[in-house]
């Protein structure tokens, strides 16, 4: 396996979750191919909207897939908590 992505049903929409490409196979179009196939399959199953969350590098892929940024989600944690 060189990569994976999954789509979760979110009541008429889908949520792109857990996209990953092995570091040794990145920058070869695999992420874009995975995303393209997932979105095509989602549309075929009737999804009209998709929620996509990503790292900065992953977010650069979405505009190439025909998505536009409509918002930014910020996640905060207490300074006393260590994030792994």
């Amino acid at each position: 396996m060189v990569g994976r992505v999954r789509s979760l049903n979110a009541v008429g929409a889908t949520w792109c979750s857990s996209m990953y490409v092995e570091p040794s196979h990145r920058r070869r179009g695999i992420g874009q191919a995975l995303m393209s196939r997932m979105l095509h399959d989602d549309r075929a199953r009737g999804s009209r909207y998709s929620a996509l969350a990503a790292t900065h590098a992953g977010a650069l892929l979405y505009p190439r897939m025909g998505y536009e940024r409509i918002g930014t989600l910020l996640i905060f944690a207490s300074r006393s908590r260590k994030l792994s």
Side-chain angles (χ1 to χ4, degrees):
M1 177 180 78
V2 297
R4 67 179 180 271
V5 66
R6 69 178 174 173
S7 178
L8 305 170
N9 186 359
V11 189
T14 52
W15 179 274
C16 173
S17 172
S18 305
M19 185 168 139
Y20 178 78
V21 176
E22 289 288 336
S24 61
H25 288 80
R26 292 180 185 165
R27 299 196 166 281
R28 297 182 185 182
I30 294 169
Q32 187 168 345
L34 288 169
M35 179 69 69
S36 179
R37 183 58 193 215
M38 183 199 70
L39 293 171
H40 173 37
D41 291 348
D42 287 351
R43 284 189 299 272
R45 289 190 204 102
S47 177
R48 296 179 57 205
Y49 305 99
S50 295
L52 309 167
T55 62
H56 174 73
L60 298 175
L61 175 62
Y62 298 140
R64 294 195 320 223
M65 301 300 301
Y67 282 81
E68 66 178 301
R69 181 174 155 183
I70 60 170
T72 301
L73 172 66
L74 301 174
I75 300 173
F76 294 91
S78 168
R79 290 179 193 245
S80 63
R81 292 179 63 190
K82 287 188 177 183
L83 299 176
S84 51

